[in-house]
Amino acid sequence: MKDYIEERVLTIAGYIIENRATVRDAAKQYGVSKSTVHKDMVDRLAEINPSLMHDVRKILDVNKQERHIRGGMATREKYLQKKR
């Protein structure tokens, strides 16, 4: 694996852990696609640092479990804003 990819993977993993960020947030922060962030965190991080991958995976699993709630809240806010 190329050095810049390895560095990106570790940087994004640190960001996700530090901020409890979603894949979308991390992608926006570092200017890469959501697919890239996901591949980095699931596949590449396992090769580089398995224990760090375990910590990131916990956060991503929580985000996945909560996404339907966040989506519902966002939709509710959207329609509340329209009424005003």
Side-chain angles (χ1 to χ4, degrees):
M1 187 177 316
K2 296 186 179 186
D3 290 340
Y4 74 92
I5 293 174
E6 192 170 318
E7 185 177 329
R8 180 187 69 213
V9 170
L10 293 173
T11 303
I12 293 174
Y15 177 79
I16 288 174
I17 291 171
E18 188 175 306
N19 298 299
R20 302 195 59 79
T22 63
V23 169
R24 186 179 297 241
D25 293 337
K28 189 180 287 187
Q29 177 70 26
Y30 290 97
V32 295
S33 71
K34 294 182 297 182
S35 303
T36 300
V37 172
H38 189 268
K39 181 156 182 75
D40 284 352
M41 296 304 104
V42 174
D43 297 337
R44 295 181 180 132
L45 190 56
E47 292 176 24
I48 297 169
N49 189 337
S51 65
L52 188 61
M53 191 224 33
H54 182 69
D55 295 340
V56 169
R57 191 77 221 166
K58 280 194 240 176
I59 293 168
L60 295 181
D61 287 343
V62 168
N63 289 339
K64 188 174 182 180
Q65 291 172 353
E66 293 175 351
R67 72 179 170 192
H68 68 283
I69 296 168
R70 291 181 187 156
M73 289 171 55
T75 302
R76 180 173 185 262
E77 272 301 311
K78 174 183 169 183
Y79 287 107
L80 286 175
Q81 292 295 326
K82 270 189 173 179
K83 280 186 175 180
R84 293 180 190 167

